[in-house]
Amino acid sequence: MTQHSTSNPAHEPDMSLSNTPKTRQVRVWDMLVRVTHWAVAAGITANLLFTEEGSELHQYVGYIVVGLVVVRLLWGFVGTRYAQFSNFFPTPSRIKRHLSDLSIRHTDEQHLGHNPLAAIMMFALWAVIIGLGISGYLMEANIFASKDVLEEVHEILANSLYLLVPLHIISAIAMSYCERQNLIKSMITGNKTVTPRRPQ
């Protein structure tokens, strides 16, 4: 905002500056969270779109993705602040409060870690990926006699990713708008921009 020369800046405060909220960068996502996130995304994309179903490459990629998810789950107990489940586990009270905030459009309400709805999505994706790994392993190991059942379960889980992955991406874009954050960028840089609340 352009300052006018009618006031003496030595005696009167600059209201244009005092009314402008100051922002700061906060490190939210550590390196392990970011690497596992994008590596899992790459592995899922490869196995859904590029590798041949049942091939050795398909299996190896699948096991690597499952291993990454297991590492991320363990990190949820011992990792950094925003990586820990205690910070974002979707309890009923957290979900209710978040939905209430969304309903009255608290656009200045910022979640540094995962919000409760994002947490539900993450747990759903992790559960499906682990289910794919288990069913895929059981098929190859011939542990169960009914291989057809395992193949059907594996296919259903794989097809569910065609719904969950786009929903995850769309939700990230939508919440970026609602929270005034570039959530995709923050998962690359690890940082989020925080705007302090103005006094009510």
Side-chain angles (χ1 to χ4, degrees), residues 52-64:
E52 183 180 352
E53 194 172 324
S55 66
E56 285 191 6
L57 179 59
H58 184 89
Q59 294 174 39
Y60 290 147
V61 171
Y63 292 144
I64 289 172

Side-chain angles (χ1 to χ4, degrees), residues 75-96:
W75 195 240
F77 295 102
V78 299
T80 53
R81 176 182 177 182
Y82 297 107
Q84 292 189 19
F85 299 139
S86 59
N87 183 266
F88 65 85
F89 193 85
T91 62
S93 61
R94 285 177 174 174
I95 295 171
K96 182 179 178 180

